[in-house]
Amino acid sequence: MVGWRLIDRLISLVSTPILARLLAPEDFGLVAMAMLAAGIVTVLLDLGVGTALIQLRSPTTEHYDSAWTLRMIQAAVMGSFVFAFAWPAATYFDEPRLVAVAQMVALSVAISGVENIGLVLLQKNFEFQRELRFFLARRLLSFAITIGLAFWLMNYWAVVIGAVATQAVSVVLSFRMHPFRPRLSLAKLRELLSFSQWMIVRGVGAYLSASLPSLMLGRLSGAVSLGIYRVSSELATLSSVEILAPLARVLYPALVEARESSASFRRALSLALAVQFLITLPVCVGLAFVSNEVVAVFLGPKWTSAGPVLMLLALAGLFLVFQHTGGYALLAIGKIKVQAILTWIEAGLFASLAAVLLVVPTPEAFALVRLVSSTLMAWIFAFLLSRDPIGVPWRALLGSFARPMCACAAMAVCLTAFSPYAPAAATLALLSKVALGAAVYPASLALAWRIAGRPQGAETYLLAHARTLLSKIRR
């Protein structure tokens, strides 16, 4: 499973730089505007039926049939609204080209509703190997289609048409990957909707929290600035969200299973926090320290101004584990209302900080506000995790990142000291800094763990899995 995830992440890492070399920041900004327009409609109508099915203890075939039917209706309605919303969106962003782009995105939204609901069974039944194969196949096909179109068209239509084609391929793959064949039914509609009302509130809040920088930047500074911010954000997510997302797909159903026992739930959550911090912290810090080299090597001279933006957004992911995992913990114990309120608090916090801190609407300024708001919000989640009904002790919460943070500090000191002596060529400088960080972080982490007396935690968990993997390889 680790191998599948690694390949999936590598495809993400390769596709963005290739597209950045072929297309201009303005192209990415225009597509981002269309996605923002679609996102407003999508979250208003997203009923979260997949999450509802995982929450149900013993869903029947009727539940899955009803969820699939409801999702198809939902997608058709969403697609229609996105199509109609294209003209107001073009007026808001003062971008006439947005009309045609948003209407193509509407088609992609409508197609998505047909995807086989049986894929939820893979997550609910912990069949992650099969689920990962589906996501990897879709990622590979998306990569091939979009990159091929980019070489041919050399403009934003490559990304737009690629998204529609990828969604159509995803529908076909979903039925090939799982034998479940849904039928039209609304027998369990009321039961699914009873969970979904707060999912809509949560979805709108989450959309606003994630998209406010882009909505404001696109309106105030145009497509070029928005393109720089969005591509920087996409690269930054590789250091946090792209790592946390597959882990969360495993974590959420596991927490749902463990929720009957408070002690077991807290132990599972504490270990999950520690493992995720150990993996994500060095990637966030490392990416921040090589941001200029990453932009120079992977994106090219058109994107030089993205370096500082990437650095700030990478640092914004430092404590995202509290927020990301805390959200799934609240979902697992049925506190969807609390999580929905928190997403609105996050959106309000960003808007308030933007009003106070923003002087000039540049990508760097919005990235700085995102860094401050994300850090504050992460600690709000940490506070909630320490309170009942979850009740993870503060000592465990702080201990989940203490040793990785010390090791990251050592890595940061070494990278800073090495910078004046790094090779002038961007590629060599990037490789040398990555090698140095990759050597210093694990050595510092091992030393911190030894000084702490080798306690049970993320280190022992990962070592045990590494030994198991090595024994399988030797056989």
Side-chain angles (χ1 to χ4, degrees), residues 273-403:
L273 288 169
V275 170
Q276 289 174 96
F277 270 124
L278 190 148
I279 296 170
T280 59
L281 279 179
V283 184
C284 291
V285 173
L287 181 58
F289 273 83
V290 298
S291 57
N292 288 325
E293 290 84 358
V294 166
V295 169
V297 172
F298 290 104
L299 303 185
K302 292 182 292 186
W303 299 83
T304 303
S305 58
V309 183
L310 177 57
M311 180 191 71
L312 292 168
L313 292 176
L315 292 175
L318 277 177
F319 297 106
L320 189 63
V321 169
F322 280 141
Q323 195 171 340
H324 201 267
T325 306
Y328 278 101
L330 291 169
L331 269 180
I333 61 174
K335 298 293 182 180
I336 179 64
K337 181 178 178 180
V338 175
Q339 199 197 21
I341 293 170
L342 284 169
T343 59
W344 281 90
I345 291 174
E346 183 179 5
L349 181 61
F350 180 90
S352 302
L353 288 169
V356 173
L357 298 178
L358 279 178
V359 179
V360 181
T362 63
E364 294 92 333
F366 277 95
L368 178 60
V369 175
R370 172 59 78 197
L371 169 58
V372 176
S373 65
S374 295
T375 303
L376 291 174
M377 201 65 211
W379 286 103
I380 292 173
F381 267 89
F383 174 77
L384 289 174
L385 290 175
S386 71
R387 311 296 293 175
D388 289 333
I390 297 175
V392 178
W394 269 107
R395 183 175 180 179
L397 290 173
L398 296 174
S400 65
F401 70 85
R403 289 189 297 276

Side-chain angles (χ1 to χ4, degrees), residues 55 98-99 139 183 231 248 251 295 301 316 324 344 353 358 415 431:
Q55 274 283 335
L98 186 56
V99 173
R139 181 91 73 172
R183 298 167 182 251
V231 170
L251 176 65
V295 169
H324 201 267
W344 281 90
L353 288 169
L358 279 178
L415 288 172
L431 291 173

Side-chain angles (χ1 to χ4, degrees), residues 26-49:
E26 185 180 12
D27 294 322
F28 282 90
L30 184 59
V31 173
M33 288 175 180
M35 295 303 180
L36 288 168
I40 293 173
V41 175
T42 301
V43 297
L44 285 171
L45 298 172
D46 185 8
L47 301 176
V49 292

Side-chain angles (χ1 to χ4, degrees), residues 134-337:
F134 166 74
F135 286 121
L136 180 59
R138 186 173 68 179
R139 181 91 73 172
L140 282 168
L141 289 168
S142 173
F143 174 83
I145 293 168
T146 307
I147 298 298
L149 286 169
F151 273 104
W152 178 33
L153 299 174
M154 297 294 287
N155 61 30
Y156 56 86
W157 281 112
V159 180
V160 178
I161 297 171
V164 176
T166 298
Q167 193 58 67
V169 169
S170 181
V171 170
V172 176
L173 277 175
S174 69
F175 282 92
R176 287 187 63 85
M177 289 284 189
H178 200 281
F180 183 78
R181 293 295 178 262
R183 298 167 182 251
L184 293 174
S185 171
L186 290 174
K188 300 294 182 180
L189 176 64
R190 182 171 296 180
E191 192 172 345
L192 292 170
L193 289 179
S194 65
F195 181 84
S196 296
Q197 56 183 333
W198 281 105
M199 288 298 293
I200 297 173
V201 177
R202 168 181 172 262
V204 174
Y207 168 80
L208 288 175
S209 174
S211 302
L212 267 178
S214 299
L215 286 168
M216 296 169 71
L217 190 58
R219 169 71 174 175
L220 296 172
S221 297
V224 175
S225 292
L226 179 56
I228 289 170
Y229 183 90
R230 288 300 290 255
V231 170
S232 300
S233 179
E234 190 170 334
L235 287 174
T237 59
L238 291 172
S239 65
S240 52
V241 177
E242 285 290 330
I243 295 174
L244 293 173
L247 295 175
R249 298 189 72 81
V250 180
L251 176 65
Y252 177 52
L255 289 176
V256 170
E257 289 290 317
R259 64 187 171 183
E260 299 299 330
S261 168
S262 298
S264 298
F265 187 86
R266 282 193 292 270
R267 280 196 302 271
L269 183 57
S270 298
L271 179 60
L273 288 169
V275 170
Q276 289 174 96
F277 270 124
L278 190 148
I279 296 170
T280 59
L281 279 179
V283 184
C284 291
V285 173
L287 181 58
F289 273 83
V290 298
S291 57
N292 288 325
E293 290 84 358
V294 166
V295 169
V297 172
F298 290 104
L299 303 185
K302 292 182 292 186
W303 299 83
T304 303
S305 58
V309 183
L310 177 57
M311 180 191 71
L312 292 168
L313 292 176
L315 292 175
L318 277 177
F319 297 106
L320 189 63
V321 169
F322 280 141
Q323 195 171 340
H324 201 267
T325 306
Y328 278 101
L330 291 169
L331 269 180
I333 61 174
K335 298 293 182 180
I336 179 64
K337 181 178 178 180

